[in-house]
Amino acid sequence: MSGPLARRGVLVGGVTLALAAAGARLLGAATKPPIAVHKSPTCGCCAAWVEHVRASGYPTTTHDQDDLTPIKRKLGVPRALQSCHTAVVEGYVIEGHVPADLIDRLLRERPSVVGLAVPGMPVGSPGMETPGQAAERYQVLAFDQKGRTTVFATR
């Protein structure tokens, strides 16, 4: 077949494939649980981390707070592990610039921990990318209710 009908078939097929791909992306995003992020209203790196987890398919809500100490204390984040923002996903605490793929792993493996933390603000971690500056090596730590830590991953 050639001519207008053939072109229409190619066009319809292309549109169908594009819609299927978009639907698959939306479906994948819908299967990830929501993350609630507590952050400073003026912190740019916190906003960049929120965009990182959103781009990875996590629906997010943000709660801007001038003082994050009470929420960190309530959620059991040890002082030595604290960073600039604190998030909660399916009962786990995510402290600081934890990469989204490690949140995926946490939710898949479901270890008996309070959560994950990237202490401080290492350059090159999600939300802390700095053009022209090499990424630092850093550890993502799992922590329990007693504040004990284990290395969950190294980046």
Side-chain angles (χ1 to χ4, degrees), residues 29-146:
T31 62
K32 291 193 178 185
I35 296 179
V37 183
H38 302 270
K39 66 177 199 60
S40 164
T42 59
C43 184
C45 69
C46 295
W49 183 81
V50 168
E51 288 308 312
H52 165 74
V53 295
R54 280 184 182 150
S56 296
Y58 286 97
T60 60
T61 55
T62 58
H63 305 280
D64 288 339
Q65 298 167 241
D66 291 324
D67 182 9
L68 295 170
T69 305
I71 193 72
K72 291 176 188 297
R73 189 176 303 125
K74 177 183 174 185
L75 295 172
V77 179
R79 182 175 296 243
L81 301 183
Q82 292 182 6
S83 185
C84 57
H85 57 269
T86 304
V88 179
V89 59
E90 290 200 344
Y92 285 108
V93 176
I94 306 298
E95 180 68 16
H97 295 269
V98 176
D101 67 304
L102 295 179
I103 298 171
D104 293 342
R105 180 178 150 205
L106 174 74
L107 296 176
R108 188 173 55 253
E109 295 177 2
R110 302 235 177 240
S112 182
V113 298
V114 172
L116 300 179
V118 172
M121 299 165 66
V123 172
S125 60
M128 289 298 299
E129 298 90 350
T130 304
Q133 193 168 357
E136 299 173 347
R137 297 226 2 113
Y138 63 94
Q139 292 181 327
V140 178
L141 303 173
F143 63 97
D144 67 13
Q145 290 180 336
K146 294 184 179 182

